[in-house]
Amino acid sequence: MQWLKRHDDVETVCVLMRDGALRGDFEQIGRTYTWAPKDLNQPQRIHKRLANALYRGDTDPGAWLSGIIDKEAPTTIYLSTLVLGKYLGGVAKTANRRIITHVHELLPSLRQLSSDQLVMRQLDLSDAVISCAECVASTLASTYELPSKKSVIIPEYFDIEAAADSTAQSISPANLTADEQAAIAKLQDTIARGIPIFGIGGTPINRKESLQ
């Protein structure tokens, strides 16, 4: 998302399969479609969830998505998660567009949020598959027999040294408690040993599945 914000010469269409707090950020990037939009300022009570379900009662999310793809005719489809297979039944491989899937999930999450059959559907449809870590790529190769020619690893991490440089001395030892210093030392040691770190920071927000 940050890359697209910095490169506004790239025409982008965003499709949100689940609404959430970041909808406004997607709308800054380009035309944004949202399946069953909800009022983000109001709690999602049961009657609102039922109303949303009836709102799209004349179709299903997969047909809705494929209709947008046919209308917009993108040359590249970026799928931000590997649990979108249930929506891709009406999306066909064509010679004039590439489909890229970015994977952050390990096997337990894939089987909880999707199924092996639907994961295979999305992998087969994808021209390239980006894994966020070696363990993710290994899972795709061993469990789903993803060909190595379709697989690429692009690690995602928080650069502590760059952050420290950009914030001057804000996290210098003099400004940290003993417990904070010990935690940072453990984190730096983990990174130095090449172990991927998965974590959540900041205020939790509603997640959404997105297609750009």
Side-chain angles (χ1 to χ4, degrees):
M1 180 185 292
Q2 296 305 319
W3 187 91
L4 287 169
K5 285 183 177 180
R6 294 194 300 270
H7 297 78
D8 54 10
D9 57 323
V10 179
E11 184 180 1
T12 304
V13 177
C14 303
V15 181
L16 307 182
M17 301 308 298
R18 185 177 301 165
D19 203 357
L22 291 182
R23 188 209 308 162
D25 293 276
F26 285 103
E27 290 173 343
Q28 292 179 27
I29 294 173
R31 292 188 302 284
T32 300
Y33 299 85
T34 305
W35 173 261
K38 65 184 180 184
D39 184 350
L40 300 179
N41 297 315
Q42 298 294 329
Q44 272 292 89
R45 301 188 184 281
I46 184 64
H47 70 276
K48 286 183 174 290
R49 293 199 297 269
L50 179 59
N52 281 345
L54 296 175
Y55 176 75
R56 298 289 185 181
D58 59 337
T59 185
D60 66 84
W64 176 78
L65 173 60
S66 61
I68 293 173
I69 292 175
D70 291 342
K71 173 185 175 182
E72 296 287 352
T75 57
T76 301
I77 297 176
Y78 171 82
L79 303 168
S80 66
T81 175
L82 187 52
V83 297
L84 296 171
K86 59 186 175 183
Y87 305 125
L88 302 176
V91 179
K93 288 180 70 73
T94 65
N96 59 349
R97 71 172 173 229
R98 288 175 54 81
I99 298 178
I100 302 170
T101 290
H102 203 152
V103 188
H104 308 83
E105 301 85 4
L106 292 171
L107 192 58
S109 294
L110 291 174
R111 287 179 170 166
Q112 178 184 10
L113 300 173
S114 187
S115 68
D116 286 349
Q117 181 181 6
L118 293 176
V119 167
M120 286 296 300
R121 170 193 285 176
Q122 186 169 343
L123 291 176
D124 289 343
L125 195 61
S126 301
D127 298 287
V129 179
I130 302 171
S131 296
C132 68
E134 175 64 40
C135 56
V136 174
S138 298
T139 296
L140 299 180
S142 61
T143 305
Y144 301 106
E145 300 183 349
L146 179 68
S148 59
K149 64 181 180 180
K150 293 176 63 170
S151 178
V152 60
I153 300 172
I154 302 179
E156 298 178 3
Y157 63 93
F158 180 73
D159 191 332
I160 293 178
E161 294 182 359
D165 291 340
S166 66
T167 56
Q169 301 301 318
S170 61
I171 61 170
S172 66
N175 298 328
L176 301 175
T177 66
D179 287 344
E180 289 170 338
Q181 292 181 44
I184 288 179
K186 290 180 180 179
L187 183 60
Q188 290 172 327
D189 177 66
T190 301
I191 293 173
R193 288 186 284 135
I195 299 175
I197 297 174
F198 294 83
I200 300 173
T203 303
I205 61 174
N206 292 330
R207 295 192 59 190
K208 88 290 307 150
E209 297 156 359
S210 61
L211 167 69
Q212 298 174 3

Short mmCIF file of all heavy atoms in Angstrom, two decimals, residues 66-101:
data_model
loop_
_atom_site.label_atom_id
_atom_site.label_comp_id
_atom_site.label_asym_id
_atom_site.label_seq_id
_atom_site.Cartn_x
_atom_site.Cartn_y
_atom_site.Cartn_z
N SER A 66 -15.59 -11.52 -9.99
CA SER A 66 -15.27 -11.78 -11.39
C SER A 66 -15.90 -10.74 -12.30
O SER A 66 -15.33 -10.38 -13.34
CB SER A 66 -15.72 -13.20 -11.79
OG SER A 66 -17.11 -13.36 -11.64
N GLY A 67 -17.07 -10.22 -11.91
CA GLY A 67 -17.69 -9.15 -12.70
C GLY A 67 -16.84 -7.88 -12.70
O GLY A 67 -16.71 -7.21 -13.73
N ILE A 68 -16.25 -7.55 -11.56
CA ILE A 68 -15.39 -6.37 -11.48
C ILE A 68 -14.13 -6.59 -12.31
O ILE A 68 -13.67 -5.68 -13.02
CB ILE A 68 -15.03 -6.07 -10.02
CG1 ILE A 68 -16.27 -5.63 -9.26
CG2 ILE A 68 -13.93 -5.00 -9.93
CD1 ILE A 68 -16.05 -5.48 -7.77
N ILE A 69 -13.57 -7.79 -12.26
CA ILE A 69 -12.37 -8.08 -13.05
C ILE A 69 -12.68 -7.96 -14.54
O ILE A 69 -11.90 -7.40 -15.31
CB ILE A 69 -11.83 -9.48 -12.70
CG1 ILE A 69 -11.29 -9.49 -11.28
CG2 ILE A 69 -10.75 -9.91 -13.69
CD1 ILE A 69 -10.85 -10.84 -10.78
N ASP A 70 -13.82 -8.48 -14.97
CA ASP A 70 -14.21 -8.35 -16.38
C ASP A 70 -14.40 -6.89 -16.77
O ASP A 70 -14.00 -6.47 -17.87
CB ASP A 70 -15.51 -9.12 -16.64
CG ASP A 70 -15.32 -10.63 -16.55
OD1 ASP A 70 -14.17 -11.09 -16.63
OD2 ASP A 70 -16.33 -11.34 -16.39
N LYS A 71 -14.97 -6.10 -15.88
CA LYS A 71 -15.24 -4.69 -16.16
C LYS A 71 -13.95 -3.88 -16.23
O LYS A 71 -13.75 -3.07 -17.14
CB LYS A 71 -16.15 -4.12 -15.08
CG LYS A 71 -16.37 -2.62 -15.17
CD LYS A 71 -17.19 -2.12 -13.99
CE LYS A 71 -17.30 -0.60 -13.98
NZ LYS A 71 -18.07 -0.12 -12.80
N GLU A 72 -13.05 -4.08 -15.28
CA GLU A 72 -11.83 -3.27 -15.17
C GLU A 72 -10.71 -3.78 -16.07
O GLU A 72 -9.81 -3.03 -16.42
CB GLU A 72 -11.36 -3.22 -13.71
CG GLU A 72 -12.33 -2.54 -12.76
CD GLU A 72 -12.37 -1.03 -12.94
OE1 GLU A 72 -11.53 -0.49 -13.69
OE2 GLU A 72 -13.24 -0.39 -12.32
N ALA A 73 -10.73 -5.07 -16.42
CA ALA A 73 -9.73 -5.69 -17.28
C ALA A 73 -8.29 -5.36 -16.86
O ALA A 73 -7.52 -4.79 -17.63
CB ALA A 73 -9.95 -5.27 -18.74
N PRO A 74 -7.89 -5.71 -15.64
CA PRO A 74 -6.53 -5.40 -15.18
C PRO A 74 -5.49 -6.26 -15.90
O PRO A 74 -5.77 -7.39 -16.31
CB PRO A 74 -6.58 -5.74 -13.69
CG PRO A 74 -7.62 -6.83 -13.59
CD PRO A 74 -8.65 -6.47 -14.62
N THR A 75 -4.28 -5.72 -16.03
CA THR A 75 -3.18 -6.51 -16.60
C THR A 75 -2.45 -7.30 -15.53
O THR A 75 -1.76 -8.27 -15.84
CB THR A 75 -2.17 -5.59 -17.31
OG1 THR A 75 -1.69 -4.60 -16.39
CG2 THR A 75 -2.84 -4.89 -18.49
N THR A 76 -2.58 -6.87 -14.29
CA THR A 76 -1.98 -7.59 -13.15
C THR A 76 -2.99 -7.64 -12.01
O THR A 76 -3.60 -6.62 -11.67
CB THR A 76 -0.70 -6.90 -12.66
OG1 THR A 76 0.26 -6.84 -13.73
CG2 THR A 76 -0.09 -7.66 -11.49
N ILE A 77 -3.16 -8.81 -11.44
CA ILE A 77 -4.01 -8.97 -10.27
C ILE A 77 -3.12 -9.39 -9.10
O ILE A 77 -2.40 -10.39 -9.19
CB ILE A 77 -5.11 -10.03 -10.49
CG1 ILE A 77 -6.05 -9.58 -11.60
CG2 ILE A 77 -5.88 -10.28 -9.20
CD1 ILE A 77 -7.10 -10.62 -11.96
N TYR A 78 -3.15 -8.61 -8.03
CA TYR A 78 -2.35 -8.91 -6.83
C TYR A 78 -3.29 -9.37 -5.73
O TYR A 78 -4.19 -8.62 -5.32
CB TYR A 78 -1.57 -7.67 -6.40
CG TYR A 78 -0.90 -7.79 -5.06
CD1 TYR A 78 0.33 -8.43 -4.92
CD2 TYR A 78 -1.49 -7.25 -3.92
CE1 TYR A 78 0.95 -8.53 -3.69
CE2 TYR A 78 -0.87 -7.34 -2.68
CZ TYR A 78 0.34 -7.98 -2.57
OH TYR A 78 0.95 -8.08 -1.34
N LEU A 79 -3.11 -10.59 -5.27
CA LEU A 79 -3.94 -11.16 -4.20
C LEU A 79 -3.12 -11.12 -2.92
O LEU A 79 -2.06 -11.75 -2.83
CB LEU A 79 -4.33 -12.60 -4.55
CG LEU A 79 -5.08 -12.77 -5.88
CD1 LEU A 79 -5.16 -14.24 -6.26
CD2 LEU A 79 -6.48 -12.17 -5.78
N SER A 80 -3.59 -10.40 -1.92
CA SER A 80 -2.77 -10.11 -0.74
C SER A 80 -2.77 -11.22 0.31
O SER A 80 -2.16 -11.07 1.36
CB SER A 80 -3.24 -8.81 -0.08
OG SER A 80 -4.54 -8.97 0.44
N THR A 81 -3.43 -12.33 0.02
CA THR A 81 -3.48 -13.45 0.96
C THR A 81 -3.80 -14.73 0.18
O THR A 81 -4.34 -14.67 -0.93
CB THR A 81 -4.53 -13.21 2.05
OG1 THR A 81 -4.65 -14.36 2.88
CG2 THR A 81 -5.90 -12.90 1.44
N LEU A 82 -3.48 -15.88 0.76
CA LEU A 82 -3.73 -17.15 0.08
C LEU A 82 -5.05 -17.80 0.52
O LEU A 82 -5.26 -18.98 0.33
CB LEU A 82 -2.55 -18.11 0.34
CG LEU A 82 -2.51 -19.45 -0.41
CD1 LEU A 82 -2.66 -19.27 -1.91
CD2 LEU A 82 -1.24 -20.21 -0.07
N VAL A 83 -5.95 -17.03 1.09
CA VAL A 83 -7.23 -17.61 1.51
C VAL A 83 -8.39 -17.04 0.69
O VAL A 83 -9.52 -16.95 1.17
CB VAL A 83 -7.47 -17.41 3.02
CG1 VAL A 83 -6.40 -18.12 3.82
CG2 VAL A 83 -7.49 -15.93 3.39
N LEU A 84 -8.11 -16.68 -0.56
CA LEU A 84 -9.13 -16.11 -1.43
C LEU A 84 -9.68 -17.10 -2.44
O LEU A 84 -10.47 -16.73 -3.31
CB LEU A 84 -8.56 -14.89 -2.18
CG LEU A 84 -8.16 -13.71 -1.29
CD1 LEU A 84 -7.41 -12.66 -2.11
CD2 LEU A 84 -9.38 -13.08 -0.64
N GLY A 85 -9.26 -18.35 -2.36
CA GLY A 85 -9.67 -19.34 -3.35
C GLY A 85 -11.17 -19.49 -3.50
O GLY A 85 -11.67 -19.75 -4.60
N LYS A 86 -11.91 -19.28 -2.41
CA LYS A 86 -13.37 -19.45 -2.47
C LYS A 86 -14.04 -18.41 -3.37
O LYS A 86 -15.18 -18.60 -3.79
CB LYS A 86 -13.96 -19.37 -1.07
CG LYS A 86 -13.67 -18.07 -0.35
CD LYS A 86 -14.16 -18.14 1.10
CE LYS A 86 -13.77 -16.88 1.88
NZ LYS A 86 -14.18 -17.01 3.30
N TYR A 87 -13.32 -17.31 -3.66
CA TYR A 87 -13.88 -16.27 -4.52
C TYR A 87 -13.42 -16.37 -5.96
O TYR A 87 -13.86 -15.58 -6.80
CB TYR A 87 -13.47 -14.89 -3.99
CG TYR A 87 -13.83 -14.62 -2.55
CD1 TYR A 87 -12.85 -14.24 -1.64
CD2 TYR A 87 -15.14 -14.73 -2.10
CE1 TYR A 87 -13.17 -13.98 -0.32
CE2 TYR A 87 -15.47 -14.49 -0.78
CZ TYR A 87 -14.48 -14.11 0.11
OH TYR A 87 -14.79 -13.86 1.42
N LEU A 88 -12.54 -17.30 -6.28
CA LEU A 88 -11.86 -17.28 -7.58
C LEU A 88 -12.38 -18.29 -8.59
O LEU A 88 -11.78 -18.50 -9.63
CB LEU A 88 -10.35 -17.50 -7.38
CG LEU A 88 -9.66 -16.48 -6.46
CD1 LEU A 88 -8.20 -16.86 -6.24
CD2 LEU A 88 -9.77 -15.08 -7.04
N GLY A 89 -13.52 -18.93 -8.30
CA GLY A 89 -14.05 -19.94 -9.19
C GLY A 89 -14.37 -19.41 -10.58
O GLY A 89 -14.29 -20.13 -11.57
N GLY A 90 -14.73 -18.11 -10.68
CA GLY A 90 -15.08 -17.53 -11.97
C GLY A 90 -13.96 -16.76 -12.63
O GLY A 90 -14.18 -16.11 -13.65
N VAL A 91 -12.75 -16.83 -12.06
CA VAL A 91 -11.60 -16.11 -12.61
C VAL A 91 -10.75 -17.09 -13.41
O VAL A 91 -10.30 -18.11 -12.89
CB VAL A 91 -10.75 -15.47 -11.50
CG1 VAL A 91 -9.54 -14.74 -12.09
CG2 VAL A 91 -11.60 -14.51 -10.67
N ALA A 92 -10.52 -16.79 -14.67
CA ALA A 92 -9.77 -17.69 -15.54
C ALA A 92 -8.38 -17.16 -15.81
O ALA A 92 -8.13 -15.95 -15.76
CB ALA A 92 -10.51 -17.87 -16.87
N LYS A 93 -7.44 -18.08 -16.10
CA LYS A 93 -6.11 -17.67 -16.53
C LYS A 93 -6.19 -17.18 -17.97
O LYS A 93 -6.83 -17.81 -18.81
CB LYS A 93 -5.13 -18.86 -16.45
CG LYS A 93 -4.76 -19.25 -15.03
CD LYS A 93 -3.80 -20.43 -15.03
CE LYS A 93 -2.43 -20.03 -15.55
NZ LYS A 93 -1.69 -19.19 -14.57
N THR A 94 -5.56 -16.06 -18.24
CA THR A 94 -5.52 -15.53 -19.61
C THR A 94 -4.10 -15.09 -19.93
O THR A 94 -3.31 -14.80 -19.03
CB THR A 94 -6.47 -14.32 -19.78
OG1 THR A 94 -6.00 -13.24 -18.97
CG2 THR A 94 -7.89 -14.68 -19.39
N ALA A 95 -3.81 -15.02 -21.21
CA ALA A 95 -2.45 -14.68 -21.64
C ALA A 95 -2.14 -13.20 -21.45
O ALA A 95 -0.97 -12.81 -21.40
CB ALA A 95 -2.26 -15.05 -23.11
N ASN A 96 -3.16 -12.36 -21.31
CA ASN A 96 -2.92 -10.91 -21.26
C ASN A 96 -2.93 -10.35 -19.84
O ASN A 96 -3.01 -9.14 -19.65
CB ASN A 96 -3.94 -10.17 -22.11
CG ASN A 96 -5.37 -10.43 -21.67
OD1 ASN A 96 -5.61 -11.33 -20.85
ND2 ASN A 96 -6.30 -9.67 -22.20
N ARG A 97 -2.87 -11.19 -18.82
CA ARG A 97 -2.75 -10.68 -17.47
C ARG A 97 -2.01 -11.68 -16.58
O ARG A 97 -2.01 -12.88 -16.84
CB ARG A 97 -4.11 -10.36 -16.86
CG ARG A 97 -4.95 -11.57 -16.50
CD ARG A 97 -6.21 -11.15 -15.73
NE ARG A 97 -7.09 -12.30 -15.53
CZ ARG A 97 -8.38 -12.29 -15.81
NH1 ARG A 97 -8.95 -11.22 -16.30
NH2 ARG A 97 -9.11 -13.38 -15.60
N ARG A 98 -1.35 -11.14 -15.56
CA ARG A 98 -0.63 -11.95 -14.59
C ARG A 98 -1.35 -11.88 -13.25
O ARG A 98 -1.89 -10.83 -12.88
CB ARG A 98 0.81 -11.46 -14.42
CG ARG A 98 1.69 -11.77 -15.61
CD ARG A 98 3.07 -11.16 -15.46
NE ARG A 98 3.72 -11.53 -14.21
CZ ARG A 98 4.37 -12.67 -14.00
NH1 ARG A 98 4.42 -13.57 -14.96
NH2 ARG A 98 4.95 -12.92 -12.85
N ILE A 99 -1.33 -13.01 -12.54
CA ILE A 99 -1.92 -13.06 -11.20
C ILE A 99 -0.80 -13.38 -10.21
O ILE A 99 -0.08 -14.37 -10.37
CB ILE A 99 -3.04 -14.11 -11.12
CG1 ILE A 99 -4.17 -13.74 -12.08
CG2 ILE A 99 -3.55 -14.24 -9.70
CD1 ILE A 99 -5.32 -14.73 -12.11
N ILE A 100 -0.66 -12.53 -9.22
CA ILE A 100 0.39 -12.68 -8.20
C ILE A 100 -0.28 -12.86 -6.84
O ILE A 100 -1.15 -12.08 -6.46
CB ILE A 100 1.31 -11.45 -8.17
CG1 ILE A 100 1.96 -11.24 -9.54
CG2 ILE A 100 2.37 -11.59 -7.08
CD1 ILE A 100 2.70 -9.92 -9.66
N THR A 101 0.12 -13.89 -6.12
CA THR A 101 -0.38 -14.12 -4.76
C THR A 101 0.73 -13.87 -3.76
O THR A 101 1.85 -14.36 -3.93
CB THR A 101 -0.92 -15.55 -4.60
OG1 THR A 101 -2.13 -15.69 -5.35
CG2 THR A 101 -1.22 -15.86 -3.15
#
